[in-house]
Amino acid sequence: MGLPALDTFPRKIWARLGARCVRAMQPADMVHPAVSGLPALRAEIAAYLQVSRGICCSPSQVFVTSGYRHTIALIVHTLLKAGDRVWLENPGYPPTRELFRHMQIATVPVPVDRDGLVVSDGIRQAPGACAAVVTPAHQSPLCVSLSLPRRQALLDWAAGNDASIIEDDYDGEYRYVSRPLPALQSLDREGRVLYAGTFSKMLFPSLRLAYLIVLEAEVARFEEMTEAMAAGSPELTQAVVTAFITEGHFARHIQRMRRLYAERREMTAAGLESVLAGHVSIDSQPGGMHLILRLLGERSDRELVALMRREGLYAEALTDWMIEGEAAPALLLNFTNIDSQRTAETLARRILKLL
């Protein structure tokens, strides 16, 4: 879910930059890559985040990883230990809880409402938790934004309990009702927030590149752990991404995608509603890369998703994102690769046959 619009990616520019980077390779570029990331890429990420997300950091605080799972593993091995308790959003991204389970970290499901994570409920359940994992820009999967009072309450809790906040900003650039919200990390004055970003949503997933911004005081600890557990991401791939950012293509691409996704979300919602009215209602969301289709009636979202996949259609069931408790049945449907209202209507008619 959340696959970017691959049909509009500037492949010619990417190919040109790739060819140039290959031609420029020297023997020194062919040895083992720097495990924390290509220095030039770390510098570009730091500069970009200051402008786009309000994050002030040095290149030394940027650690390039091979994806979200690698990022979480790096944090756990550096800062946590088996048996520690961590708040997770409920509903929330399923791989997160699986990662923590395999690493023997106890997870505490904290409910989400229209203002985001219910911090007071987390404090009631586990005031002494060591960390919280949150998606403040667009909660995954409900797409609500963490309100300013909740952000401050979360930061206050972390500061008062010597806890860490892991901010997963997987698609914070894609907000359509206003400018993208500043990152939670930009409000942090006590050194509590680790910021995790990814190129999977902003460029494409097969890059296998993400990044983590750590606190200045913890750079040495993360460097030590990175040396122990990581082999480094391919330097050639990092060089191409660096050139893509340096020459301004990255910023222009994000701006184009923000406009395109706003249009595609509107067209997709209109197409689905024209066919499925009376069967689903579509949540109003400020941003993100998927729609939430609430099923009207008693239909199981899991059963419908299973039927859809047999027909070659992809969606996810909101129920599967719950850690505990029940959720009203709903489909999570990516819209970024739906190129017209007619395509959305065709999809809706195929779904209607399965209802």
Side-chain angles (χ1 to χ4, degrees):
M1 196 177 67
L3 186 68
L6 303 179
D7 61 320
T8 61
F9 186 78
R11 292 188 295 275
K12 289 184 179 179
I13 292 174
W14 187 264
R16 174 170 55 80
L17 295 176
R20 190 177 75 197
C21 290
V22 169
R23 288 194 299 269
M25 282 181 65
Q26 300 297 314
D29 302 318
M30 301 167 71
V31 299
H32 295 290
V35 292
S36 297
L38 190 69
L41 179 57
R42 298 172 79 186
E44 289 293 347
I45 291 171
Y48 176 77
L49 291 177
Q50 183 165 8
V51 172
S52 70
R53 311 299 291 127
I55 294 174
C56 242
C57 66
S58 65
S60 66
Q61 293 173 258
V62 180
F63 287 77
V64 178
T65 71
S66 61
Y68 175 74
R69 290 168 175 83
H70 180 193
T71 296
I72 293 296
L74 179 59
I75 294 170
V76 170
H77 287 303
T78 305
L79 299 181
L80 303 178
K81 62 183 183 301
D84 281 349
R85 304 184 79 189
V86 174
W87 294 1
L88 295 186
E89 296 168 327
N90 185 38
Y93 187 48
T96 303
R97 63 178 181 261
E98 290 301 310
L99 281 166
F100 282 121
R101 182 176 65 82
H102 284 296
M103 290 184 280
Q104 298 180 304
I105 303 296
T107 56
V108 180
V110 180
V112 174
D113 64 17
R114 64 182 182 180
D115 290 318
L117 183 81
V118 183
V119 178
S120 60
D121 200 275
I123 293 172
R124 180 183 60 78
Q125 292 189 70
C130 296
V133 182
V134 292
T135 49
H138 305 128
Q139 197 276 332
S140 178
L142 298 181
C143 286
V144 296
S145 299
L146 189 63
S147 67
L148 184 58
R150 294 273 179 90
R151 290 177 183 232
Q152 194 57 59
L154 182 61
L155 290 168
D156 290 345
W157 164 77
N161 289 274
D162 193 26
S164 298
I165 300 170
I166 302 167
E167 178 178 10
D168 176 14
D169 194 26
Y170 63 102
D171 72 351
E173 292 282 11
Y174 297 134
R175 187 174 179 84
Y176 314 118
V177 298
S178 64
R179 291 180 58 83
L181 297 174
L184 174 66
Q185 200 271 359
S186 69
L187 301 175
D188 182 20
R189 299 293 177 265
E190 302 294 331
R192 297 287 108 200
V193 180
L194 298 98
Y195 178 91
T198 179
F199 289 109
S200 292
K201 301 291 190 290
M202 293 188 287
L203 295 178
F204 51 91
S206 66
L207 277 177
R208 304 309 307 145
L209 282 183
Y211 48 89
L212 172 67
I213 313 303
V214 308
L215 307 175
E216 187 72 54
E218 293 173 342
V219 167
R221 294 177 68 186
F222 275 89
E223 287 178 340
E224 181 180 353
M225 185 54 64
T226 299
E227 290 284 347
M229 68 176 285
S233 299
E235 188 160 310
L236 179 58
T237 302
Q238 294 184 68
V240 179
V241 174
T242 302
F244 195 76
I245 299 173
T246 303
E247 296 186 9
H249 305 299
F250 183 70
R252 288 190 291 272
H253 179 64
I254 295 301
Q255 291 171 358
R256 285 195 301 268
M257 291 305 97
R258 193 180 295 136
R259 292 191 297 269
L260 176 69
Y261 291 166
E263 293 170 1
R264 289 191 171 183
R265 184 180 69 157
E266 185 176 342
M267 290 189 302
T268 302
L272 294 173
E273 288 174 336
S274 69
V275 176
L276 296 175
H279 298 278
V280 304
S281 65
I282 300 177
D283 283 7
S284 175
Q285 303 159 205
M289 300 171 71
H290 68 273
L291 294 173
I292 302 174
L293 280 64
R294 302 282 180 178
L295 302 183
L296 306 179
E298 302 297 322
R299 189 59 188 266
S300 163
D301 52 0
R302 286 175 172 157
E303 290 179 0
L304 181 55
V305 163
L307 290 172
M308 289 176 64
R309 292 185 181 180
R310 288 176 202 161
E311 297 296 320
L313 304 175
Y314 187 83
E316 294 195 25
L318 178 58
T319 304
D320 288 335
W321 289 57
M322 295 293 295
I323 301 174
E324 67 177 26
E326 297 294 328
L331 300 181
L332 309 177
L333 184 69
N334 179 250
F335 63 78
T336 54
N337 286 279
I338 297 176
D339 58 5
S340 68
Q341 183 169 332
R342 178 176 295 180
T343 302
E345 291 169 353
T346 300
L347 171 62
R349 283 191 286 270
R350 294 181 68 185
I351 294 174
L352 183 62
K353 291 179 180 179
L354 304 175
L355 288 172

